[in-house]
Amino acid sequence: MDEQLFFKKLNSLCTSKEIFCFLSSLEFMTDTMASGALRRISEVEVDDNGLKNPEGVLENEVFRALCFQFEFESSKLSNTGLLNALQALIKLRIDPQSTLMASLFSEGEERLGKGQLTVKNLCAFAESLLELECPSCATLEQILNHMQEKDIEKWSPREMVTVYKMLQVTVREAQQYQDLLSRMNSVTLTIVSQLSPKFTSIILNSLVALHQTRAVPLVTALCKHSVKHIPYLTGDELVNVLEAFLYFGHHEQIFTEALEAYVPKSIFTMHPQTVSKVMQYCCRKMILSKPIFDAVAEGFISDADRFTTEQIAEYIIPFGTLNYLPPSASSLFGKLETVLHARFSHFRPHILLDLLHSCVLIQRYPVNFLPKIFSPYFLQQLQAQPPGLDRTVTSQLTQLFLTVTLECPFYEGPKLLPKYQVKAFFTPHSSLDVRLLKRVKTGLLYLLKKRIYFASEVLTPYFYTVDIEIKLDEEGFVLPASQSEEVHRRIALCVDGQNRFCVNSHNLLGEEAIKQRHLHLLGYEVVQIPFFEIESLQNCRSMAEYLHKKVFPHTYELSC
């Protein structure tokens, strides 16, 4: 039969039984036809769980005859027949240690050593090796050395992707093949628009693994290209894209918008690990996307029982970090409490602490679990596992303790011993904007005339650092900052730069929101000075007028 007619007929068949019946009717097949038949069998009989009907395929007489031909006549096969058969047999889960596979691998390596393989053949051989659990790095490196000598500009997108995957597996030090990588990155930049969702994801994953931080133009182009592919990416592919955005520090508003369109529609079919990565992306980039968060809350309420403990934490922590309660908050945290009661002992100590700490940021108090958190046994567990009781961990413990002290007066469980308490909270996301603070201090000096009437970066006895503190006596007069007697009121100015808010939002981050809430409960008059209210003020006088209205609306007049 003519090869073209053969493949047309072969590709119309949908079961191995039909394929074997068709092959039995033929008197002769070329090796290309025979390897094509194996490939078609692998396509119809293999799914995500493996070979659907092992006995019906592997014990079939026609299949065994094909394998016999490939094993004992491997030296007579064309390159295409040899490599296509190898790929199909690997997909069919044939034992790589069998004499059949050993014969084919040996023949492929011999032709590789003699330089008889084209770029297409080299990549097909590499794809077969990459499918194995423990591919031969020596053979892959040999293929790479041949590929280095080829004209990269003539490679197809598939061939380019295969070489990226080879480099990812074999390269211990990127410097070894950095020249090849640099040339590949340049050529790939010109074909980004031709890349499928799968290829885009694979290349981004390889660039992360190979630490290609200098390939900024390529990374930017791939990230932008990935936006239109979001609905077509598999869960693993979307995770690769998100990890690349995180690793390279890239951010695209249109990417967030694409996620906002996709996640709410797909939340009940997405794998929990994919959703976890979406939430990690939003959390690390400080992106408060209400459509995404609301959908994730619904997904958690529906399916949390089947999540791992890590996934539970990854779903919930961003709500606290970004200071957001969804419309379904009551059901969301009710479900969380149910899950915690059922699986409390399954959580790793640091993950559990992160989770419960995030809850108090948004006024959800895990009172029923705090006796266990403050117990000597749990604290010993924290200390025994990395990162131990570092500053972040002790800050979280102290803030939990302060929260129940201030906001849950009915709590009568164990207290946190002083030796586990910090002197000052560690707030990595809410560091002080020094430039903004300087502008506010200049305005206050213009307003109050003397620098002695306010203090900056004041550490309170309650673990918080106040950006600017002003003291007033009983009649409302400003006292020197150093005076500790006759202080009737304390004003805490919170100079909130952009880094204390979610991206493109006026929504305070959780760690700053709880600070201002606690300062108020501790007796301070909290006055927020957000960046978006003062960034347009042009001079000292306009800043002073703003501060006068904000800080002293009734008790102090601005003199000319």
Side-chain angles (χ1 to χ4, degrees), residues 3 17 19 41 57 61 88 91 134 146 161 180 188 211 294 311 322 339 360 377 386 421 477 513 515 526 540 550 552:
E3 277 198 8
K17 187 176 180 180
I19 295 169
I41 292 166
V57 173
E61 288 184 9
K91 194 173 179 182
C134 300
H146 281 285
V161 165
L180 172 62
T188 303
H211 311 297
D294 292 350
Q311 288 164 354
L322 303 188
V339 171
V360 301
Y377 173 71
Q421 297 175 19
F477 290 106
K515 170 186 171 180
V526 178
C540 287
K550 194 90 176 184
F552 307 107

Side-chain angles (χ1 to χ4, degrees), residues 230-299:
I230 284 179
Y232 313 107
L233 293 167
T234 66
D236 289 342
E237 289 165 1
L238 180 54
V239 166
N240 285 345
V241 172
L242 289 164
E243 285 179 341
F245 269 85
L246 290 169
Y247 180 80
F248 292 108
H250 198 70
H251 172 61
E252 288 282 345
Q253 179 60 30
I254 54 172
F255 183 78
T256 303
E257 291 168 1
L259 284 176
E260 288 177 339
Y262 173 71
V263 173
K265 290 189 297 186
S266 312
I267 190 67
F268 295 110
T269 57
M270 292 173 71
H271 191 281
Q273 195 57 39
T274 309
V275 180
S276 294
K277 187 59 68 173
V278 171
M279 291 300 276
Q280 184 187 353
Y281 169 77
C282 290
C283 194
R284 291 258 299 273
K285 296 289 185 181
M286 302 301 173
I287 299 168
L288 175 55
S289 168
K290 293 182 181 180
I292 292 175
F293 278 51
D294 292 350
V296 168
E298 294 297 335

Side-chain angles (χ1 to χ4, degrees), residues 527-543:
V527 178
Q528 189 185 10
I529 311 292
F531 76 94
F532 51 83
E533 288 185 0
I534 61 176
E535 58 187 357
S536 62
L537 302 178
Q538 300 297 321
N539 52 49
C540 287
R541 178 165 182 86
S542 59
M543 176 67 80

Side-chain angles (χ1 to χ4, degrees), residues 314-330:
E314 287 161 352
Y315 267 62
I316 297 297
I317 288 172
F319 286 93
T321 303
L322 303 188
N323 186 31
Y324 178 65
L325 286 172
S328 59
S330 178

Side-chain angles (χ1 to χ4, degrees), residues 348-490:
R348 288 194 285 125
H350 288 91
I351 289 178
L352 186 60
L353 180 60
D354 287 340
L355 176 59
L356 298 183
H357 177 258
S358 71
C359 291
V360 301
L361 297 180
I362 42 177
Q363 297 177 277
R364 289 297 180 268
Y365 310 112
V367 177
N368 294 331
F369 306 103
L370 289 180
K372 294 180 180 178
I373 297 297
F374 295 149
S375 70
Y377 173 71
F378 185 80
L379 294 170
Q380 286 168 9
Q381 283 186 307
L382 282 175
Q383 194 160 16
Q385 298 180 19
L389 290 170
D390 65 7
R391 191 178 172 195
T392 300
V393 172
T394 49
S395 285
Q396 290 176 323
L397 287 167
T398 307
Q399 199 159 43
L400 274 173
F401 174 63
L402 183 61
T403 298
V404 293
T405 303
L406 293 175
E407 302 184 63
C408 307
F410 52 86
Y411 173 75
E412 296 179 350
K415 311 294 185 186
L416 182 67
L417 296 176
K419 68 177 182 178
Y420 296 112
Q421 297 175 19
V422 292
K423 292 182 179 179
F425 285 129
F426 179 56
T427 53
H429 300 304
S430 301
S431 57
L432 188 56
D433 185 327
V434 178
R435 184 190 62 81
L436 206 62
L437 178 68
K438 186 176 179 180
R439 289 190 62 201
V440 174
K441 286 163 66 175
T442 303
L444 275 176
L445 185 60
Y446 187 97
L447 179 66
L448 301 176
K449 306 306 181 190
K450 290 185 179 180
R451 180 67 180 79
I452 63 169
Y453 290 120
F454 62 91
S456 59
E457 299 180 74
V458 180
L459 179 60
T460 71
Y462 313 105
F463 321 109
Y464 289 111
T465 300
V466 174
D467 298 336
I468 295 176
E469 184 183 54
I470 299 172
K471 298 174 182 177
L472 304 178
D473 65 14
E474 194 169 357
E475 296 179 12
F477 290 106
V478 179
L479 297 171
S482 59
Q483 186 169 327
S484 56
E485 298 173 355
E486 298 180 4
V487 178
H488 185 67
R489 292 162 56 200
R490 293 176 186 267

Side-chain angles (χ1 to χ4, degrees), residues 171-179 181 210-212:
V171 174
R172 296 170 194 85
E173 296 182 17
Q175 208 58 38
Q176 182 183 0
Y177 287 101
Q178 189 55 56
D179 178 61
L181 266 168
L210 295 165
H211 311 297
Q212 294 298 289

